């Protein structure tokens, strides 16, 4: 059988590890992920999670913030122990907790995002994709906690005003929603514009602010208390 020279090569699946101390929840998450996301392993404790990352080197780790084992540091401890040796692995917190202390602790440890277990299967899959691409992802109502923890230092007002002057009023609206973790389709629905228009605004915002991606945009906005 000859190969079709016009056939496009299939992209390698994005590898994911699921870390949660409830086996039923892990099974539910695994079942709800689309085939393009390949679950390479599961763990229930801090120590198991550290070993799992070392053994499988997943692209993204879905991580609960409250885990038994280790020194009692939960998900933040997993990141602190596993991340230094595996810089290509991204950590996304997925927890029932929306407490400010939990959010701030795991983000300070190095998580690229934090979503709650009330998120839909589609939202979880999208968050994994975005974190893998380098974006920061937060459930919208959690953005304020991150802002409080990583707010701007004093004396930046003049700089902010100058940089914001580069953006139109609509671009500023789009910028704030994107930086808060909204998906393009959510921004479009909120502002009553098309997804294509959102994409155009985001491209202009990134270019004007000399930023490369949504992760940098979120960090930029958080630092300047713009959310």
């Amino acid at each position: 059988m000859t190969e079709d020279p016009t056939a496009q090569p299939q992209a390698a699946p994005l590898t994911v590890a699921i870390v949660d101390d409830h086996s039923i929840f892990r099974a539910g998450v695994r079942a709800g992920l689309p085939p393009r996301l390949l679950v390479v392993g599961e763990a229930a404790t801090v120590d198991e999670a550290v070993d799992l990352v070392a053994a499988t080197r997943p692209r993204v780790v879905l991580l609960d913030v409250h885990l038994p084992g280790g020194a009692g540091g939960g998900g933040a401890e997993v990141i602190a122990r596993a991340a230094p040796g595996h810089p290509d692995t991204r950590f996304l917190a997925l927890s029932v907790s929306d407490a400010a202390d939990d959010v701030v602790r795991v983000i300070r440890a190095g998580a690229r995002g934090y979503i709650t277990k009330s998120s839909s299967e589609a939202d979880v899959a999208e968050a994994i994709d975005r974190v893998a691409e380098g974006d920061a992802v937060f459930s919208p109502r959690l953005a304020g906690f991150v802002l409080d923890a990583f707010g701007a230092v004093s004396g930046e007002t003049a700089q902010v005003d100058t940089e914001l002057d580069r953006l139109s009023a609509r671009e500023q609206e789009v910028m704030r929603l994107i930086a808060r973790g909204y998906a393009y389709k959510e921004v479009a629905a909120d502002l009553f514009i098309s997804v294509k228009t959102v994409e155009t605004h985001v491209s202009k915002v990134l270019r004007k602010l000399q930023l490369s991606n949504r992760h940098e945009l979120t960090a930029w906005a958080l630092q300047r208390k713009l959310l």
Side-chain angles (χ1 to χ4, degrees), residues 126 130 135 174 178 181-190 193-196 198-200 202-203 206 214:
E126 182 182 11
R130 289 171 55 190
D135 288 348
V174 172
I178 290 295
Y182 283 70
Y184 283 10
K185 61 184 178 181
E186 293 171 322
V187 176
D190 193 75
I193 57 179
S194 70
V195 173
K196 184 64 176 179
V198 174
E199 293 174 349
T200 299
V202 172
S203 295
L206 294 176
R214 294 178 58 155

Side-chain angles (χ1 to χ4, degrees), residues 22-36:
H22 295 94
S23 60
I24 294 178
F25 178 77
R26 295 198 308 271
V29 172
R30 179 191 282 264
L33 294 180
R36 59 184 172 76

